[in-house]
Amino acid sequence: MHSLSRLVLAVIATLSISTQVLAFDVTTQSLVKTGYATSQVTTGPFDSKLIIAAQDDAAVFVASDGQLRGARLESALAYLRQSRPKLHASDLELAQAILVQ
């Protein structure tokens, strides 16, 4: 095999590994964020009736990738943001955390 062919194969292998690592990194980052949001929603006192009532709306919100927002979900999100001002999570991450309840 020519040295140029070996170099091309090595570059392709490196790019393939880099792409896989990046994909893993993005997936892992998303899981960590969602896990953090879930831990913030599930720890400490909160109005469980409000959170539980928002589960159906949260499911629709997650399934629609954030396009459909129900009134109960909006109420739960407002409550969570007001009661936990240091919580830095997107609405989608919070909706996923509500589904875990």
Side-chain angles (χ1 to χ4, degrees):
M1 186 179 279
H2 298 293
S3 60
L4 181 58
S5 297
R6 287 184 186 153
L7 178 62
V8 169
L9 288 176
V11 168
I12 290 172
T14 302
L15 289 175
S16 176
I17 291 169
S18 295
T19 302
Q20 291 171 359
V21 169
L22 179 61
F24 176 76
D25 216 23
V26 170
T27 302
T28 304
Q29 182 180 13
S30 178
L31 290 172
V32 168
K33 283 183 179 179
T34 301
Y36 171 76
T38 301
S39 71
Q40 293 302 304
V41 172
T42 58
T43 57
F46 62 91
D47 185 353
S48 61
K49 290 180 184 179
L50 179 67
I51 302 299
I52 299 301
Q55 284 184 325
D56 287 344
D57 284 356
V60 171
F61 183 74
V62 170
S64 70
D65 199 29
Q67 298 300 310
L68 301 174
R69 302 172 79 91
R72 289 182 177 161
L73 176 62
E74 289 296 327
S75 179
L77 293 175
Y79 168 78
L80 289 170
R81 297 220 185 275
Q82 181 181 4
S83 65
R84 291 176 175 80
K86 293 183 180 183
L87 179 62
H88 298 291
S90 70
D91 288 351
L92 189 57
E93 290 166 337
L94 288 176
Q96 290 169 338
I98 289 170
L99 287 175
V100 176
Q101 298 299 303

